[in-house]
Amino acid sequence: MNIDFDKVKELAKGYEEDMTRFLRDLIRLHGESTEEEQKSKRIKEEMEKLGFDKAWIDPQGNVLGEMGTGKTQIAFDGHIDTVGIGNIDNWNFDPYEGKDEDGVIGGRGASDQLGGPVSAVYGAKIMKDMGLLNDDYRVLVTGTVQEEDCDGNCWLYMIEQQNIKPEFVVSTEPTDGGIYRGQRGRMEIRVDVTGISSHGSAPERGDNAIYKMAKILNEVEQLNENPADDSVEIKGLVKMLDEKYNPEYKEANFLGRGTVTTSQIFFTSPSRCAVADSCSISLDRRMTAGETWQSCIKEIEDLPSVKKFGAKVSMYDYHRESWTGLAYDQECYFPTWVIPKDHNVTKALEEAYKSLYGNDRIGPDSEMEKRRQRPLTDKWTFSTNGVAIMGRHNIPVIGFGPGAEDQAHAPNEVTWKQDLVTCAAVYSILPLIYTTKYQDR
């Protein structure tokens, strides 16, 4: 293996303005989940312009492109849908026209996460420019749909229906200049309790479902807030950080404890002058290492008031048509995943990064105070498509992407040109380093 690292950095810097134009085009083609058609077509156009060997849009609407024709497929994934803009009064600039000034690119999706596919496309271009492609590997770049709506659904479809199974996947979600090797999982739980209505003037004749749910809500809060010792009846979720309760406690401490919170509440009642005859809640459950959907459901089922009132505990399902009209149904369960710190994929990405930029995170001056406080290799707070790729299908995932996690879903969202360049450079040399030094043969 012989890589001219200075030349790689020079080429990546030379593509800075091309990447800027490409990213700004994608920001202007605003599209939330199920509205990504124009962005898929624009990415395919760029892939074809840059000489990808293949570029196509699949039946779900994901855009895919391959550079090279080698044996091992290595993928770079980035979702191309965004959330909405929220209250426009909170923005200092047009979220879809965006801005380009002082090394900063602004607009909805700048960090979360249109910059990732941009850097991946140009990283593949640098591989071609540098003659780094060989018979050992080919690179797949994906621009995936509906992640904000149902993270991982796109990859479930591609793996299960299109038989796309790379050796490993780099998630290009924003990593604040670091390398991320995992995230907590999540699931969406529903709790239903019933009552009997009566006239509001004689509530004793009825059985108020809202009062029942109030007791359940209090216990859900205790599950999240309580300690794990014998001083409490309901042991808190913090228990999973303890070896006594969790064989995977080391990775749980790395990822952080699980949490649960009530996100929605619903009820039915004949009128405002009647006792409520049903009440339901939605729970957002974040899961650490060692927790499963079965264990999380059972924790809620075992709450004293859930048992007392015979409440039904279930998991939500996802069904929504993509921009092409295809719906790929799944349960709203998004498993925790973490790739070991000594995994060959982890070591390969760390070597690629350190060969170019040293042992610490780099970034624009405005971000360095925050970045230098964190280790180079860390984890996400939020969820990614890795929940399907590694969480369900055990295909290794590692994270490295332009932008910052704290920009996600926020007004005045920005990313940095320097991050686009850094990521494109690292992406371009990773496959060769992996297949030459780390791939099991």
Side-chain angles (χ1 to χ4, degrees):
M1 181 182 69
N2 185 20
I3 301 174
D4 185 339
F5 298 118
D6 289 334
K7 181 64 174 178
V8 168
K9 290 192 284 187
E10 179 186 335
L11 277 173
K13 181 65 176 176
Y15 283 127
E16 181 179 294
E17 289 310 308
D18 295 281
M19 288 190 282
T20 298
R21 284 191 290 271
F22 186 22
L23 176 53
R24 296 202 70 203
D25 282 353
L26 294 177
I27 291 170
R28 292 186 185 101
L29 296 172
H30 58 89
E32 299 174 30
S33 296
T34 75
E35 301 171 350
E36 306 95 340
E37 178 177 4
Q38 296 306 313
K39 285 184 284 191
S40 290
K41 292 177 178 178
R42 176 65 184 86
I43 292 169
K44 180 174 180 286
E45 175 190 0
E46 193 78 4
M47 289 173 170
E48 292 170 340
K49 183 184 81 172
L50 297 180
F52 273 61
D53 292 282
K54 291 172 60 179
W56 71 101
I57 295 172
D58 74 11
Q60 192 182 35
N62 306 295
V63 57
L64 304 93
E66 279 193 330
M67 187 74 88
T69 57
K71 178 181 176 182
T72 298
Q73 186 184 65
I74 294 170
F76 294 82
D77 173 62
H79 70 83
I80 59 175
D81 58 323
T82 69
V83 296
I85 61 172
N87 183 354
I88 188 62
D89 293 336
N90 291 329
W91 288 78
N92 298 326
F93 55 86
D94 185 322
Y96 295 126
E97 177 55 33
K99 69 173 184 176
D100 172 8
E101 57 187 44
D102 301 323
V104 174
I105 303 169
R108 178 52 86 218
S111 268
D112 187 21
Q113 63 119 153
L114 299 173
V118 167
S119 288
V121 166
Y122 275 85
K125 170 63 172 167
I126 295 168
M127 293 176 209
K128 186 172 185 177
D129 292 346
M130 292 283 295
L132 302 178
L133 297 165
N134 58 40
D135 291 339
D136 287 337
Y137 73 89
R138 66 190 191 278
V139 171
L140 175 70
V141 177
T142 66
T144 44
V145 299
Q146 289 175 258
E147 190 273 349
E148 296 291 2
D149 211 33
C150 186
D151 30 319
N153 182 259
C154 47
W155 271 91
L156 281 187
Y157 173 76
M158 292 193 297
I159 293 168
E160 296 172 357
Q161 301 300 316
Q162 300 292 304
N163 199 36
I164 293 174
K165 299 177 180 177
E167 177 114 345
F168 70 88
V169 178
V170 178
S171 171
T172 66
E173 290 268 15
T175 59
D176 294 277
I179 295 167
Y180 287 1
R181 65 178 186 89
Q183 56 151 105
R184 295 180 303 164
R186 70 180 187 91
M187 61 184 299
E188 299 172 8
I189 299 173
R190 181 179 174 109
V191 183
D192 296 278
V193 69
T194 59
I196 299 173
S197 62
S198 68
H199 199 283
S201 64
E204 68 278 4
R205 298 174 187 162
D207 183 18
N208 198 312
I210 292 176
Y211 290 167
K212 292 179 178 180
M213 188 61 79
K215 294 179 174 63
I216 294 172
L217 286 167
N218 184 56
E219 292 171 3
V220 169
E221 184 179 20
Q222 291 177 50
L223 184 63
N224 190 68
E225 302 297 333
N226 277 0
D229 57 43
D230 293 335
S231 67
V232 291
E233 179 184 7
I234 299 171
K235 288 183 168 56
L237 297 178
V238 69
K239 67 180 182 289
M240 297 302 286
L241 303 182
D242 190 332
E243 182 179 10
K244 176 181 176 182
Y245 298 100
N246 184 9
E248 298 181 43
Y249 74 100
K250 290 183 179 179
E251 292 292 26
N253 277 274
F254 168 68
L255 293 174
R257 52 159 290 184
T259 59
V260 62
T261 191
T262 304
S263 55
Q264 294 176 318
I265 188 165
F266 320 95
F267 70 93
T268 60
S269 176
S271 77
R272 291 197 297 270
C273 303
V275 169
D277 55 13
S278 79
C279 190
S280 304
I281 57 172
S282 300
L283 302 179
D284 179 295
R285 178 65 161 89
R286 301 288 157 156
M287 307 157 61
T288 193
E291 296 180 317
T292 65
W293 72 263
Q294 294 96 332
S295 69
C296 293
I297 291 287
K298 189 174 188 304
E299 279 174 338
I300 304 301
E301 290 176 336
D302 286 346
L303 294 175
S305 293
V306 170
K307 289 182 173 180
K308 179 180 178 180
F309 300 127
K312 178 185 176 184
V313 182
S314 60
M315 182 162 44
Y316 281 95
D317 292 319
Y318 180 77
H319 172 90
R320 192 178 182 193
E321 291 185 356
S322 71
W323 67 262
T324 65
L326 183 148
Y328 197 63
D329 297 351
Q330 70 165 90
E331 312 95 338
C332 291
Y333 166 58
F334 311 92
T336 304
W337 63 272
V338 58
I339 189 171
K341 61 184 178 182
D342 60 352
H343 195 284
N344 282 344
V345 169
T346 309
K347 291 189 288 189
L349 182 53
E350 288 176 339
E351 179 174 333
Y353 179 87
K354 292 176 182 179
S355 297
L356 291 166
Y357 298 110
N359 295 327
D360 302 312
R361 299 186 187 214
I362 65 168
D365 291 342
S366 62
E367 296 299 292
M368 282 312 299
E369 182 177 356
K370 176 181 69 174
R371 293 185 180 185
R372 67 170 56 97
Q373 294 174 6
R374 300 180 64 184
L376 176 62
T377 303
D378 208 347
K379 78 281 186 179
W380 279 289
T381 299
F382 59 35
S383 188
T384 72
N385 280 333
V387 297
I389 305 165
M390 189 168 184
R392 285 181 181 254
H393 285 280
N394 205 35
I395 297 170
V397 175
I398 194 77
F400 185 64
E405 199 172 353
D406 63 10
Q407 293 297 309
H409 303 189
N412 305 305
E413 180 182 354
V414 299
T415 195
W416 298 272
K417 295 181 182 182
Q418 182 177 345
D419 282 357
L420 297 177
V421 170
T422 300
C423 289
V426 172
Y427 297 160
S428 73
I429 64 172
L430 171 62
L432 184 59
I433 288 174
Y434 173 78
T435 54
T436 303
K437 297 184 65 174
Y438 294 99
Q439 186 177 30
D440 293 330
R441 298 190 183 268

